[in-house]
Amino acid sequence: MTGRYLLRRLLAAVGVLWAAFTVSFVVLYLLPGDPVATMASGGLDGEPLPPEQLDALRARYGLDQPVLVQYGQRLLAALTGDFGTSIQNGQDVRSAILEALPPTLQISAAGLAVAVLFGGSVALVATYTRAFWLRQLLMALPSLAVSLPVFWVGLMLVQVFAFGLGLLPSVGANGPAALVLPAVTLGLPTGALLAQVLAKSLSHALGEPYVTTARAKGVGRASVHLRHALRNAALPALTVFGYIVGNLIAGSVVVETVFTRPGLGRLTVAAVGVQDIPVVQGVVVFAAAVFVLVNLAVDLIYPLLDPRIGVTS
């Protein structure tokens, strides 16, 4: 790994974070409506406050400044991790995100475990089996799972395992049992994507000359599959890991809503409903930061697994 390679990746990460902040700022300020009036009325259907009180609230949150001034002030504050206070309840945005983070991390980690288990198993069995019908069936599963909407999968799981069989709770976050259905809902489409990439990469790797050489030397079929082909086939799957993590965070918004769980998803939905700009922007930038850090870690690990990448870059 060269210093130039590392510098380019760090600059790219900073650029993505700046773009995420700027785009979220522009989009949020282009939204129709007045967030202060919405907050002051207690929601979208409450009674409006007198104009002088609204002006005082706008001055309190800096919303009476020109947009460019607000952008500069918020960008400088964001560099120190300060995203202001919630217009909805006055809570510090950083504290609100940190409070909502543990349940989302819990469900994301469980979803990732389901995704790796499901995607890895399907890819390995599909490329290992000699039964043509089983191979075709397993190779078709990822495409089917990717095409299913997350909210529909969640509702079907609730209907079958909670309301139908009564095996698992349908809502809430009390105990490990309440984590099963949300994790499966979140992990299935992500695992399907992983299975598609890994299965295609494994199929390609099994046709490489080094695999033929290993077989000619008498290496067992399972050993060739798991020790030789899988090691090289895992590199493309590692590339999409950053996308998978981003997909898990984005999917948590839907899953937490469907299963009535606390977390960043519920926090985001509530903030969007009342145009709580600081909270929405804080969550967007936080999600972008997680995405960037994971991709940066993947970029730094990749040359260690394949030194040719650092040299060619």
Side-chain angles (χ1 to χ4, degrees):
M1 186 190 309
T2 65
R4 187 178 179 184
Y5 175 85
L6 179 61
L7 180 62
R8 287 176 58 185
R9 290 298 178 270
L10 288 174
L11 290 177
V14 173
V16 170
L17 281 177
W18 172 78
F21 178 88
T22 302
V23 171
S24 63
F25 182 88
V26 171
V27 171
L28 290 171
Y29 276 85
L30 287 178
L31 286 175
D34 186 344
V36 172
T38 303
M39 177 274 295
S41 63
L44 297 174
D45 302 323
E47 293 295 329
L49 288 180
E52 56 273 13
Q53 294 187 24
L54 293 178
D55 291 339
L57 287 172
R58 292 190 187 95
R60 175 183 174 185
Y61 291 104
L63 297 175
D64 58 341
Q65 300 289 329
V67 172
L68 289 179
V69 174
Q70 292 185 48
Y71 173 78
Q73 292 175 342
R74 292 186 184 279
L75 180 59
L76 290 175
L79 292 176
T80 64
D82 180 12
F83 289 93
T85 56
S86 167
I87 294 177
Q88 185 179 11
N89 54 25
Q91 185 181 14
D92 180 71
V93 172
R94 184 169 51 189
S95 300
I97 292 175
L98 291 177
E99 283 182 10
L101 186 58
T104 298
L105 286 180
Q106 191 180 42
I107 193 175
S108 297
L112 180 62
V114 171
V116 172
L117 186 63
F118 170 67
S121 300
V122 168
L124 285 174
V125 176
T127 53
Y128 186 80
T129 182
R130 288 173 173 165
F132 179 76
W133 66 270
L134 180 58
R135 178 186 177 90
Q136 293 300 106
L137 176 64
L138 291 174
M139 293 295 278
L141 278 180
S143 300
L144 176 63
V146 167
S147 64
L148 297 176
V150 174
F151 73 91
W152 185 85
V153 173
L155 292 176
M156 289 300 102
L157 290 175
V158 168
Q159 184 66 32
V160 174
F161 293 99
F163 298 151
L165 301 176
L167 298 176
L168 296 166
S170 60
V171 296
N174 298 322
L179 190 63
V180 175
L181 293 183
V184 173
T185 303
L186 197 57
L188 274 183
T190 307
L193 173 66
L194 183 64
Q196 284 182 320
V197 175
L198 187 58
K200 185 170 293 186
S201 182
L202 263 174
S203 299
H204 177 75
L206 289 170
E208 291 291 318
Y210 68 86
V211 171
T212 305
T213 303
R215 287 171 177 163
K217 289 182 177 179
V219 179
R221 187 162 173 256
S223 180
V224 168
H225 205 90
L226 296 176
R227 293 182 56 190
H228 294 270
L230 180 60
R231 180 177 179 181
N232 293 301
L235 291 177
L238 180 64
T239 305
V240 300
F241 190 75
Y243 172 79
I244 287 176
V245 172
N247 199 34
L248 288 173
I249 295 175
S252 69
V253 175
V254 178
V255 172
E256 287 171 4
T257 303
V258 170
F259 291 96
T260 321
R261 294 177 59 90
L264 283 179
R266 293 288 300 279
L267 177 69
T268 305
V269 171
V272 170
V274 295
Q275 298 183 24
D276 197 339
I277 292 175
V279 173
V280 176
Q281 189 171 37
V283 172
V284 170
V285 175
F286 174 79
V290 173
F291 183 80
V292 165
L293 288 175
V294 172
N295 277 281
L296 181 61
V298 171
D299 285 342
L300 297 181
I301 292 173
Y302 219 113
L304 300 178
L305 300 176
D306 188 352
R308 294 171 299 175
I309 295 175
V311 174
T312 55
S313 296

